[in-house]
Amino acid sequence: MAPPASSFRIYCISESGSARFERAKARIESLGAEFVHVPAIRPTVMSPAYDGAEMRRSWGCDMKLAELGCFLAHRSAWQRIVAQERGPVVVVEDDIGFKPEAAAAIRSVVAKMPRADFVSLYSDWQRHLLRSTEVGGGVRIGIPSSTGNTTVAYAIGPEGARALLKGSETITRPVDGYLVRGWVHGVRGLHCRPFPCLHDDGGKSMIGVRISPPAEGFGKLVRVCSALKDSTLKRLHTLACLARSFP
């Protein structure tokens, strides 16, 4: 039986029994939220669903296995949301931290966000909101000038999760890079202001640093063109988001 749409549930991607699992669980429960565990995935071989052509054009290398595992874990969360939820919930990674006012802010976002969108609750950059609305207590959600590449914490409902699943049947890049490509999956990415969440990884990413090998000649030209294409599509998608009704 699915819980009421008004419930406050947080799906946390983590490895059961790890120190990060225990820390994230305690932090989530301290908010008065229901902790829902999404097991971390540690693949040992690349998935048949992976197509590395885009990564090799833009980065000159393939995804790492840890990046694939992260993507598959988020897909697992989206599958459960589609199957079990009737309204928006929150998805976090286990290096999540919360500001003192986080509980009230997240409750307001989950209660009032557009059901087909997702809302970033943390971003690596503070993007300007081109259009926004207050959801309560001085908290606003809105359309950012550019969506930040992070999947540390976001709110999403079954409608958005279903679209993300459909758009990622073939995996072409890490999940944070996929989530910002709204022109691929069709889900509008919003930002919350102020962000109620923190990225508390202690400077030690479980995925590690991706190093792009140097490129020269035609290979370098391919990378530049790939970056220009993505930048253009991102700006066109932002304009398309503004053209849609909001909130």
Side-chain angles (χ1 to χ4, degrees), residues 69-174:
C70 184
F71 203 133
L72 294 175
H74 279 272
R75 276 186 55 86
S76 175
W78 302 337
Q79 288 167 343
R80 290 173 64 178
I81 291 167
V82 168
Q84 301 173 13
E85 303 295 341
R86 293 200 295 267
V89 294
V90 175
V91 178
V92 303
E93 296 172 351
D94 63 5
D95 49 3
I96 187 68
F98 298 102
K99 296 179 182 178
E101 68 280 6
I106 294 173
R107 286 182 187 276
S108 296
V109 171
V110 168
K112 298 182 179 179
M113 64 179 281
R115 296 304 181 93
D117 299 341
F118 75 87
V119 181
S120 291
L121 303 174
Y122 169 83
S123 179
D124 46 359
W125 294 348
Q126 288 277 354
R127 268 73 171 189
H128 173 65
L129 296 184
L130 302 175
R131 186 181 302 167
S132 67
T133 185
E134 183 170 339
V135 293
V139 176
R140 305 188 71 83
I141 60 172
I143 301 169
S145 56
S146 178
T147 308
N149 285 42
T150 180
T151 52
V152 173
Y154 56 94
I156 192 167
E159 298 93 334
R162 186 176 292 107
L164 293 181
L165 282 170
K166 183 177 180 181
S168 61
E169 291 175 351
T170 298
I171 296 173
T172 62
R173 60 185 61 247

Side-chain angles (χ1 to χ4, degrees), residues 11-246:
Y11 285 67
C12 179
I13 298 170
S14 187
E15 191 166 7
S16 182
S18 67
R20 286 167 65 129
F21 171 90
E22 298 297 340
R23 184 184 68 174
K25 185 172 186 290
R27 288 177 172 178
I28 289 168
E29 291 178 343
S30 73
L31 299 178
E34 180 183 351
F35 175 88
V36 182
H37 180 221
V38 179
I41 297 176
R42 311 289 186 200
T44 57
V45 295
M46 197 54 75
S47 168
Y50 173 64
D51 181 349
E54 282 192 27
M55 279 291 294
R56 290 190 289 271
R57 281 196 299 269
S58 58
W59 280 87
C61 61
D62 281 297
M63 281 175 61
K64 301 168 66 172
L65 284 173
E67 291 173 320
L68 174 64
C70 184
F71 203 133
L72 294 175
H74 279 272
R75 276 186 55 86
S76 175
W78 302 337
Q79 288 167 343
R80 290 173 64 178
I81 291 167
V82 168
Q84 301 173 13
E85 303 295 341
R86 293 200 295 267
V89 294
V90 175
V91 178
V92 303
E93 296 172 351
D94 63 5
D95 49 3
I96 187 68
F98 298 102
K99 296 179 182 178
E101 68 280 6
I106 294 173
R107 286 182 187 276
S108 296
V109 171
V110 168
K112 298 182 179 179
M113 64 179 281
R115 296 304 181 93
D117 299 341
F118 75 87
V119 181
S120 291
L121 303 174
Y122 169 83
S123 179
D124 46 359
W125 294 348
Q126 288 277 354
R127 268 73 171 189
H128 173 65
L129 296 184
L130 302 175
R131 186 181 302 167
S132 67
T133 185
E134 183 170 339
V135 293
V139 176
R140 305 188 71 83
I141 60 172
I143 301 169
S145 56
S146 178
T147 308
N149 285 42
T150 180
T151 52
V152 173
Y154 56 94
I156 192 167
E159 298 93 334
R162 186 176 292 107
L164 293 181
L165 282 170
K166 183 177 180 181
S168 61
E169 291 175 351
T170 298
I171 296 173
T172 62
R173 60 185 61 247
V175 65
D176 56 348
Y178 168 68
L179 207 61
V180 302
R181 282 167 169 72
W183 61 91
V184 173
H185 51 66
V187 185
R188 184 168 58 180
L190 308 179
H191 275 202
C192 178
R193 286 289 191 282
F195 290 124
C197 298
L198 303 167
H199 190 192
D200 189 18
D201 66 349
K204 298 179 181 178
S205 170
M206 298 290 286
I207 292 177
V209 179
R210 187 195 312 116
I211 299 176
S212 179
E216 298 180 356
F218 182 72
K220 185 174 182 178
L221 177 63
V222 168
R223 285 195 203 175
V224 170
C225 291
S226 178
L228 181 61
K229 175 186 173 184
D230 280 354
S231 178
T232 301
L233 289 172
K234 181 178 285 189
R235 282 160 175 74
L236 290 173
H237 176 66
T238 299
L239 292 174
C241 288
L242 289 169
R244 290 164 53 188
S245 61
F246 180 82

